Amino acid sequence: MTANQYDAIIIGGGHNGLVAAAYLARAGKKVVVLERRHIVGGAAVTEEIFPGYKFTEFSYVVSLLRPEIIRDLELPKHGLKILPLPSTFTPMDGERRGDYLASWDDHDLTRRELYRHSPKDAEAYDEYAPVMARAAKAIKPIINLIPPDPSSLHPRDLFNLLKVGQYAKSLSEKELYTIAKLVTQSSADLLEEWFETDALKGTKAASGIIGTFLGPRSPGTAYVLLHHYMGEIDGAFRAWGFAKGGSGGVSGSILNAAKALGVEIRVNASVKQVIVKNGRAVGVALENGDELHSNVVMSAADPKRTFLQFVESRYFPEDFVTSIQNFRTRGSSGKVNIALSELPNFTALPFEGKGADSALHRGAVSISPSIDYIERAYDDAKYGQISKRPYLDMIFPSMIDPDMAPPGEHVLSCFVQYAPYDLEGGWNDEKRNELGEAVISTIEEYAPNIRKCIVGMQVISPKDIEAIAGITGGNIFHGELLLHQIFFLRPVPQWVDFRTPLKGYYFGASGAHPGGGVMGAAGMLAAKEILKDGNW
Amino acid sequence: MFQLKTTPFHERTSKLCLPQNWRRWAGYLVVGSYDLTLDREYWAIRNSAALIDVTPLMKYMITGKDASRLLNRVVTRDMDKLKVGQVYYTGWCDDEGKMIDDGTISRLDETTYRMTSADPSLRWLSMNAVGLDVEITEVTDEVAALSFQGPNSRKVLNKVADDPVDGLKYFRLMQNQVDGIPVTISRTGYTGDLGFEIWMDAKDALTIWDALMDAGQDYGITPVGILAMDMARVEAGLFMIEVDYTSTSHAWIEPQKSSPFELGLDWTVALDKQGYFVGRRALEREKREGSAWKMMGLEVEWEGMEQLFKSVGLPPQIPGMAFRGSLPVMVGNIQVGYASTSTWSPLLKKYIALAHLQKPYYEVGTNVRMEITVEHHRQHAPAKVVKLPFYEPEWKKK
Ligand SMILES: Cc1cc2nc3c(=O)[nH]c(=O)nc-3n(C[C@H](O)[C@H](O)[C@H](O)COP(=O)(O)OP(=O)(O)OC[C@H]3O[C@@H](n4cnc5c(N)ncnc54)[C@H](O)[C@@H]3O)c2cc1C
């Protein structure tokens, strides 16, 4: 074999690309990963934008990372530690301003806290959680299935498809009904059937709109709620964690595992094009002119790059190209990472001293006081504006992993929605400042001393997600989690098994089945299909 | 700040809980045991007077013109037969006739009931109360409860209560006073012994505790944790939700659910009562067609078990407290059921278990074998199917 000849070339060193490479190398293949940036990790990276303060730049919490990947690749041995994120605090608004709603990873504590606000909600919660967990459990095996060819089916036949599936046969009518309902309802509808406390509904609804360009009253958002119920840490459902070192810690452990298995990693290696000969992929050409050869090329970049940029469209059927063009990738969220000299103090639950033992800061803080609040934030975005009062999901990584900031100082990771990719007038420095200001003034309403704590701030718009992480359109999941873009329809009906119309060319990243998040499933499943084809 | 709740007796119990053996119960912290071993507390239940904090029981007041209609609709027993001053133990089911929960219902007056349950039930009750003239209020936090169990419990109560409790019959209740504080005393409990439960306003909890402890001194009164009670309730053939059966609201799969018939609660299913109640149709069908399972008692045969231990050179070893792990029950090489709680009975000197058994293996006298671990190896000890309860002293109902 010549130096640039490989068994498999992986384009993109995001976590999915790394996972796929590791699985292929584990099967004895000679694999190279090509990453355009100077570091790997993609949207799961940690960077020191301000010296001493480590930002978990884009992705910040882990829940969906598949346990079998952790076991197969021995990630704990390679540095993976997923630390618990025990609570979520939602400061309240309106008449309840000054109070908060907390939820815990402990059932009794959560129930007790809910009871404080509404005995009825406390009771309903007892039922809601198992219903959602059961539905998540029911859907979960479907995620691991390579879906059958659904080409003859319309999205509305999802229900029927579920019904014919071998697995689905084991579900009760009631479970099927719940699932069918979950994929068609709005999260607001669903939640209003169950609860009365605004902060509870707001916080739950928020998880139904993350990464979508929809509001809590848009149909289909209930499914996303469920998607977020599928997290699994050490087998426990619905547990969110924070990886030591931030999400770069996850990528780092996969990188180490891949290297130990013999994977070659090339950074600053931007792929220009896939080389096609006799109707099949045979290698890639880099921007710098280098060529690498292999009968297996897998893209772990976003779908638009994968199918519209790396390969000339004449190699694909026309309707395939159209489908990819229509694949919705509207970015709607941004990220603000803040270096802090001290912890901001929340009026709803103030601490004394430095707050080192503040329970609020050890978990997530969600600015989602009500469904209306979030729907209003969406209203701004619908018309091309940054939400004046956006939904925020914050964590203080340094409270969970003290190595994230200099001793006694802190970092704040703040996910913000909505910040539309297609902003009226386009994104520029001024607009970026506007986004930063919207975030700070929102936090200020609940933690008045935030401004004087700030040492440095990184504001990331969807345009920046595109520019830095290389995700076309800046959607955090490479494509919205919409009903017609899930399961067997991701990325395109008929092409859901990680193969593409171009022989030898594969696709295994967040835009593929089963979707986005630091999950690794697409990379792992794609690698398994590649090994099945055995093109060597 | 973010802790489980403590009960109104915490100020007393926490001083006495020397081994710091705490357990969680329905969101509260309660004492597991006051001693490092359970013997003294167990024997207080069976021999003198045991004072047990049972405040975490979920409690609901159900009042109004339609209170009995609501209860009749929800639970399996016939509430029209429940007299004022009487208490019923009952289960309640979902529409498929599978158990949601179990508890007691006390009729305090014509239109007022107090219901206890293990799981939160407000939502279920409210859903069933649609269109009825009834008010449901949760009083779990407001009402403190002490279980006062054991052969001497009556004598102690007679010392502190204004009115003697001698005339208080099994599963009846009376309004009474202790040190001028109003209490409700019911002749109920979770031990199968002579015993009472005392219901009081949470603010009066410590006064009542002190009065009882004081009056009980000469009668061997002993604060007892829930671990010793757990042994006694197995002897009494009483089961526990999420241990001996899975509530339909927590079950993941159908086979985890149990009907009242399958739990041996036939006597609580009043198919002869008027009108619809939740699960009626399914229960009628099961009554007709027979049940596939039944909960029974198992008595491990000592000699057989001794043999298994002897073969490795050991005397028999049995856990010193109730064990809540599931143990397979075999006939030949076929698993015919499982024990859900097993315990050493210090009084009967037997190793006993509550077991779910498949038809026809639930007949009294059937020879089965139950899994035990002998020096790290799984073995099956011979056991016999017996009727519940294992132990019923003559003074329990007298
Ligand atoms: C702001 C933000 C917050 C998020 N928060 C969370 C969260 O909290 N929890 C969670 O689970 N998920 C979160 N996500 C989603 C999650 O981060 C992504 O779904 C996931 O990281 C994507 O992984 P991937 O490997 O599929 O793709 P990516 O990580 O996007 O990797 C694609 C890689 O391809 C590279 N690439 C692109 N073009 C080329 C080229 N021409 N040549 C070579 N390389 C190329 C890119 O540089 C990139 O490294 C978040 C995402 C964002 C943006």
Side-chain angles (χ1 to χ4, degrees), chain A residues 136-464:
Chain A
K137 179 178 166 255
I139 281 191
K140 216 163 181 185
I142 299 172
I143 292 190
N144 271 342
L145 292 175
I146 308 283
D149 177 2
S151 51
S152 63
L153 290 170
H154 189 271
R156 86 167 93 83
D157 293 326
L158 171 71
F159 186 70
N160 290 332
L161 182 83
L162 283 173
K163 256 186 152 157
V164 298
Q166 197 45 32
Y167 167 74
K169 279 194 192 138
S170 67
L171 300 178
S172 68
E173 279 293 318
K174 215 165 153 189
E175 280 170 319
L176 274 170
Y177 177 70
T178 311
I179 292 172
K181 205 164 149 186
L182 276 167
V183 295
T184 51
Q185 255 184 339
S186 80
S187 53
D189 284 346
L190 175 81
L191 293 164
E192 271 157 7
E193 274 178 23
W194 284 90
F195 304 114
E196 61 187 20
T197 306
D198 283 334
L200 176 64
K201 284 185 287 185
T203 307
K204 295 238 162 271
S207 67
I209 50 98
I210 287 177
T212 71
F213 198 80
L214 296 170
R217 301 204 182 277
S218 317
T221 42
Y223 163 71
V224 191
L225 268 184
L226 188 65
H227 200 87
H228 291 272
Y229 253 86
M230 281 181 243
E232 193 173 358
I233 291 182
D234 294 336
F237 276 107
R238 184 74 191 106
W240 286 96
F242 178 81
K244 167 134 190 95
S247 67
V250 178
S251 301
S253 70
I254 305 170
L255 173 70
N256 291 341
K259 279 189 184 160
L261 290 162
V263 173
E264 180 185 336
I265 309 283
R266 291 201 200 175
V267 293
N268 300 312
S270 183
V271 171
K272 187 164 177 223
Q273 205 140 52
V274 173
I275 306 170
V276 181
K277 241 186 221 151
N278 300 327
R280 67 163 300 143
V282 294
V284 300
L286 302 186
E287 298 280 1
N288 69 9
D290 288 358
E291 289 195 2
L292 291 80
H293 306 286
S294 172
N295 276 342
V296 172
V297 177
M298 185 191 109
S299 169
D302 68 74
K304 302 238 161 164
R305 270 166 214 243
T306 302
F307 297 111
L308 304 178
Q309 191 180 317
F310 297 156
V311 181
E312 286 172 57
S313 54
R314 64 188 165 103
Y315 293 114
F316 296 127
E318 209 172 303
D319 58 339
F320 180 86
V321 175
T322 313
S323 297
I324 296 292
Q325 278 164 343
N326 291 342
F327 190 69
R328 300 254 283 262
T329 57
R330 299 166 297 179
S332 57
S333 13
K335 186 77 193 293
V336 174
N337 298 308
I338 306 175
L340 298 166
S341 56
E342 58 183 294
L343 290 175
N345 212 344
F346 286 75
T347 44
L349 187 66
F351 58 76
E352 277 161 31
K354 297 181 67 187
D357 58 359
S358 163
L360 176 141
H361 294 80
R362 270 199 295 257
V365 180
S366 178
I367 305 297
S368 48
S370 66
I371 288 180
D372 283 347
Y373 176 95
I374 298 171
E375 188 69 20
R376 233 172 269 136
Y378 176 57
D379 287 342
D380 294 335
K382 253 192 307 202
Y383 303 110
Q385 307 297 321
I386 297 168
S387 305
K388 274 174 225 67
R389 283 287 172 265
Y391 157 62
L392 304 180
D393 189 34
M394 302 187 270
I395 58 168
F396 295 87
S398 48
M399 286 293 284
I400 307 159
D401 173 7
D403 298 339
M404 297 297 286
E409 299 191 57
H410 292 281
V411 281
L412 166 58
S413 156
C414 186
F415 177 86
V416 44
Q417 194 163 324
Y418 302 79
Y421 178 86
D422 289 315
L423 193 67
E424 193 181 292
W427 283 96
N428 51 37
D429 284 351
E430 193 191 320
K431 291 292 184 186
R432 201 187 283 115
N433 287 342
E434 190 185 318
L435 174 59
E437 180 54 32
V439 169
I440 298 303
S441 55
T442 300
I443 301 176
E444 205 168 27
E445 290 199 14
Y446 304 95
N449 70 334
I450 176 79
R451 268 179 219 276
K452 78 173 213 327
C453 310
I454 298 175
V455 178
M457 185 158 119
Q458 177 194 29
V459 181
I460 301 173
S461 74
K463 273 280 187 219
D464 300 321

Side-chain angles (χ1 to χ4, degrees), chain A residues 11-17 34-37 39 41-44 57-64 240 269-272 300-302 305 309-310 334-335 415 465 468-471 474-478 508-511 516-518:
Chain A
I11 309 174
H15 82 289
N16 270 314
L34 305 171
E35 168 55 45
R36 55 179 259 290
R37 290 197 72 197
I39 49 166
E57 213 168 348
F58 305 101
S59 170
Y60 51 106
V61 289
V62 209
S63 151
L64 303 163
W240 286 96
S270 183
V271 171
K272 187 164 177 223
D302 68 74
R305 270 166 214 243
Q309 191 180 317
F310 297 156
K335 186 77 193 293
F415 177 86
I465 295 178
I468 305 170
I471 301 173
N475 182 277
I476 65 165
F477 296 138
H478 288 200
S510 293
V518 181

